[in-house]
Structures are given as C-alpha cells and as structure tokens.
Amino acid sequence: MSERLFGIRGATGAQNTKESIQKNVGQLCREIFAKNSIEAQNIVSLQFTITEDLTAMNPAAALRREDTGIDTSKIPLFCSQEPRIDGSPKEMIRLLLTVYMPSERVPAYVYINGAEKLRPDFAGKQKKL
C-alpha cells in the first residue's frame, strides 16, 4: 500500500476564553484524527490560524493540554493570525494538518461549533463519530 502527503483542513468556533479555546481545539483535533485514522508518527506538521479577536490562548498550547487520542507532544505546531478581511466570521480557529496517509484514502474535513459556515460543502458531508 502506497502513501502520499495530504493536507487536511478543519475549523472550529470558540469564545475568547482559555477554557473555550482549549475545549474546542481538542474537539476539532480529536474528530480530525479519528475520522482520518491519523497516527502521530504520520503527521508532518499542524498549522493553526486564529482570528484577531481570540487572544486568551494559543491553539497550539491548547492542543498540548488536551487528550486527542494520539500523542501530540512531538508534532511540530505553528500558529499565526488569520488575515483581517471585512465581513469574515469572528472567533474562528482554522487548521491545516499535513499528514501521510494511504494514497487511496479520501480525507475527512471537520468544521464544527459555528465554523460550518466557512465550508458548508464539507460541513454537510461530515459523519458523526
């Protein structure tokens, strides 16, 4: 079975509190890891972006504090601020997971907690865990 590199997208809404950011980042990552059968050793990196109104906690730090079903301690994480665009939704955390998976697999994207509006084409196709 051959593998290839995939970019898996996802997003979650959150309130500007440490608790909300940590809880919602954890939920987002748990769902992405589970739906895509991700193993830590196959992850290349994980990039987060956040809207400018989320200042209470860095999503990378939030991920390190949550149980996501896999060991995230050695995964390279990075976080940056989302560009400020007029009319863009507020209180959003987006991610791009770069991971090796079997080449025939179809990635499952996850948009939750208000982020469904970012990609309704993906949000409507999500399977429940």
Side-chain angles (χ1 to χ4, degrees):
M1 168 169 53
S2 65
E3 290 190 334
R4 79 171 191 85
L5 192 61
F6 286 87
I8 300 176
R9 302 274 324 259
T12 186
Q15 295 176 345
N16 191 30
T17 66
K18 289 180 181 182
E19 297 79 15
S20 178
I21 292 170
Q22 184 173 326
K23 174 184 158 222
N24 290 316
V25 165
Q27 179 188 10
L28 175 63
C29 290
R30 270 190 303 281
E31 288 192 29
I32 285 181
F33 298 159
K35 288 181 179 185
N36 290 286
S37 301
I38 301 293
E39 296 181 18
Q41 67 268 20
N42 294 334
I43 296 175
V44 175
S45 64
L46 179 52
Q47 163 86 38
F48 290 99
T49 64
I50 57 173
T51 52
E52 67 180 345
D53 52 352
L54 294 178
T55 59
M57 182 177 223
N58 181 317
L63 176 62
R64 298 275 194 231
R65 295 179 179 160
E66 281 291 302
D67 178 8
T68 61
I70 67 171
D71 180 7
T72 59
S73 65
K74 294 184 175 126
I75 297 170
L77 303 176
F78 190 78
C79 186
S80 59
Q81 190 173 70
E82 189 72 24
R84 194 170 113 193
I85 307 295
D86 292 341
S88 290
K90 298 193 179 309
E91 298 183 321
M92 290 290 140
I93 301 169
R94 295 169 175 88
L95 70 74
L96 174 61
L97 174 67
T98 307
V99 61
Y100 283 99
M101 297 191 312
S103 56
E104 68 278 356
R105 187 166 305 155
V106 176
Y109 305 102
V110 176
Y111 290 82
I112 55 174
N113 302 321
E116 298 86 350
K117 60 190 163 197
L118 298 173
R119 290 302 302 261
D121 52 330
F122 291 141
K125 297 177 184 176
Q126 294 182 37
K127 299 177 195 168
K128 296 285 182 197
L129 284 177

